[in-house]
Amino acid sequence: MEKIDEHKAFGGWQRRYTHASKVCNCDMTFALYVPPQADTQRVPVVYWLSGLTCTDENFVNKAGAQRVAAELGVAVVAPDTSPRGDDVADEDVFDMGKGAGFYVNATQAPWASHYQMYDYVVSELPALLADEFNTTLDLSREAIFGHSMGGHGALVIGLRNIDRFAAISAFSPICAPTEVPWGHKAFPKYLGDDRQAWLAYDATHLLSNADNAEALPPIRVEQGLADNFLDEQLHPHRLEEAAEQVGADVEVNRREGYDHSYFFIASFMEDHLRFLGRHLGV
């Protein structure tokens, strides 16, 4: 693992690393904010998953998370959104290929050889963090959040690993990807035509089929009502319907005038970090 960038911020350190990923079969990059409390104790970890077209850097530079993370004493990990490299499959569109991994394990050629983002986020990256930062990070305390495609990823990963994550939150998530154009485009290419395989990556389906709602992590969703993707792609009402069906703790906050941008994310970043931090015990 190689450190490629670092900046002092609010008493802690915003750093960027690259490493060889066996899961994704290429070099992967991630950002890590380490709060000042890590100088004297191990700190809990929050994972941020970014949306379409983003890298690990968008969140770091635009979300304004470092001040609150430093106050709360939580580390924030922000992986890239997809594999990268000259031999990595891609399409010349914003919503498929590089920058659009959808946090799935692809099963179809040519995507399967690199696009294993679910396993990367759930298994390989946490194992790397545990090995490299075992005196700094407390991987027994984890939470996860994200935006848009990354909100979809956070919901899916959190709901499929309910024993791992203390809480889940999302900004403008794709709540029912099997029902919307983005999912209808990406899932057949990554996962094949069997729609049953798609359901493993659909948060609404996972929530509505939860065996024990009381065991689920609490979920907070922020949705701007001026979001141009809301009606066609995001469908937070479907997540609410599933939550009501099973009695899950899901809060959807609809915000008048806010869009899909990082201006929206930055406006409510503190609220989300405090929500996640509360359930992490900080």
Side-chain angles (χ1 to χ4, degrees):
M1 190 177 75
E2 178 187 356
K3 182 170 65 178
I4 54 177
D5 191 29
E6 73 173 356
H7 303 278
K8 189 82 169 180
F10 298 98
W13 289 95
Q14 181 65 64
R15 295 182 170 122
R16 194 170 183 235
Y17 296 91
T18 185
H19 70 102
S21 168
K22 293 182 179 179
V23 167
C24 293
N25 192 28
C26 64
D27 288 346
M28 292 293 291
T29 303
F30 68 92
L32 170 64
Y33 179 72
V34 180
Q37 293 86 340
D39 290 342
T40 57
Q41 65 189 52
R42 295 167 73 220
V43 297
V45 176
V46 174
Y47 299 89
W48 169 267
L49 305 183
S50 291
L52 289 165
T53 75
C54 291
T55 69
D56 57 289
E57 294 185 284
N58 298 73
F59 171 81
V60 168
N61 294 331
K62 296 180 179 180
Q66 292 89 348
R67 177 185 61 81
V68 183
E71 178 188 335
L72 295 175
V74 298
V76 184
V77 180
D80 201 350
T81 54
S82 78
R84 308 277 178 176
D86 292 341
D87 62 339
V88 174
D90 194 19
E91 288 191 3
D92 191 21
V93 291
F94 81 98
D95 52 0
M96 188 70 202
K98 294 178 185 178
F102 276 88
Y103 303 100
V104 303
N105 285 339
T107 59
Q108 307 299 302
W111 312 100
S113 59
H114 293 98
Y115 285 78
Q116 303 294 314
M117 288 300 296
Y118 180 88
D119 280 353
Y120 178 72
V121 174
V122 171
S123 301
E124 187 177 40
L125 181 56
L128 178 70
L129 296 172
D131 287 343
E132 297 287 343
F133 304 102
N134 62 322
T135 62
T136 302
L137 305 181
D138 181 359
L139 273 298
S140 70
R141 292 189 290 162
E142 298 173 295
I144 191 165
F145 67 155
H147 170 235
S148 193
M149 178 187 72
H152 141 77
L155 290 169
V156 166
I157 288 170
L159 288 169
R160 287 179 58 174
N161 298 273
I162 62 174
D163 57 333
R164 281 267 308 273
F165 298 101
I168 308 164
S169 78
F171 294 83
S172 315
I174 309 168
C175 294
T178 62
E179 303 173 14
V180 302
W182 274 336
H184 291 169
K185 181 175 184 176
F187 283 4
K189 294 183 179 182
Y190 287 143
L191 304 172
D193 293 329
D194 181 3
R195 294 196 173 215
Q196 285 299 118
W198 302 4
L199 295 176
Y201 300 102
D202 186 303
T204 294
H205 173 79
L206 294 170
L207 188 58
S208 63
N209 286 272
D211 292 331
N212 181 6
E214 293 183 358
L216 296 175
I219 298 171
R220 173 174 178 155
V221 171
E222 224 70 31
Q223 178 60 61
L225 293 180
D227 189 323
N228 59 316
F229 299 115
L230 174 57
D231 293 337
E232 184 179 31
Q233 303 280 16
L234 305 180
H235 293 192
H237 65 283
R238 295 288 289 118
L239 196 72
E240 288 178 307
E241 291 165 1
E244 184 176 356
Q245 174 186 328
V246 300
D249 181 5
V250 176
E251 173 188 356
V252 178
N253 299 305
R254 290 173 170 82
R255 304 296 185 177
E256 190 71 39
Y258 286 93
D259 58 21
H260 201 73
S261 71
Y262 264 87
F263 294 106
F264 169 51
I265 295 169
S267 297
F268 298 98
M269 178 54 57
E270 179 170 354
D271 294 343
H272 279 245
L273 282 173
R274 292 192 184 282
F275 166 79
L276 298 172
R278 183 166 67 250
H279 292 286
L280 288 166
V282 298

